Amino acid sequence: EMADVKGASSFRAKAEGNLIDSGEKDRIKEILRKKLVDAGWFEKLHAKCQDILKTKGQEKLTIHDLVKEIVPQGKQLVPEELKKEVIQKLEKFLIDADLS
């Protein structure tokens, strides 16, 4: 079992290295950023932050508390089609890279 964990960790490190070295990670991040802008994700998240600040009170809320509350909401606001598209791009990259 420990060998599986090390193997998975090694694969992940190799895949991450290839994503970075090839520039694919930056390309995927840029596509994601543009599509999140188009979907109004940043505005929606900003509005959620404003709601939390109004509800909890700015003086009582730490940045840690805000992040803890907003991250799950931010993930939920990402359109399903966009999540699928990013996963497909990563899968295609991994298949094409043949990291075995």
Side-chain angles (χ1 to χ4, degrees):
E1 192 173 295
M2 194 59 148
D4 287 345
V5 171
K6 285 183 180 174
S9 178
S10 170
F11 175 81
R12 183 184 177 128
K14 199 185 299 186
E16 177 88 15
N18 276 22
L19 274 167
I20 292 168
D21 295 345
S22 69
E24 188 65 12
K25 183 174 182 178
D26 287 336
R27 279 190 289 279
I28 291 173
K29 281 171 59 175
E30 185 57 21
I31 290 167
L32 179 60
R33 189 193 67 73
K34 283 180 181 173
K35 293 200 175 192
L36 287 172
V37 167
D38 292 346
W41 182 85
F42 292 98
E43 289 84 1
K44 291 173 189 168
L45 204 60
H46 183 262
K48 296 258 186 209
C49 286
Q50 294 299 322
D51 290 344
I52 293 168
L53 286 169
K54 283 179 193 159
T55 306
K56 306 263 178 167
Q58 208 167 338
E59 54 288 331
K60 294 179 185 170
L61 193 66
T62 67
I63 192 72
H64 175 75
D65 293 336
L66 181 60
V67 168
K68 195 166 86 175
E69 195 159 333
I70 203 68
V71 166
Q73 293 182 42
K75 288 179 180 179
Q76 259 188 322
L77 288 172
V78 176
E80 281 305 312
E81 322 81 67
L82 185 51
K83 291 177 188 177
K84 288 176 185 167
E85 182 181 339
V86 169
I87 289 169
Q88 287 171 345
K89 287 185 182 305
L90 289 169
E91 286 172 342
K92 182 181 181 335
F93 175 81
L94 292 173
I95 290 166
D96 292 348
D98 188 24
L99 301 175
S100 52

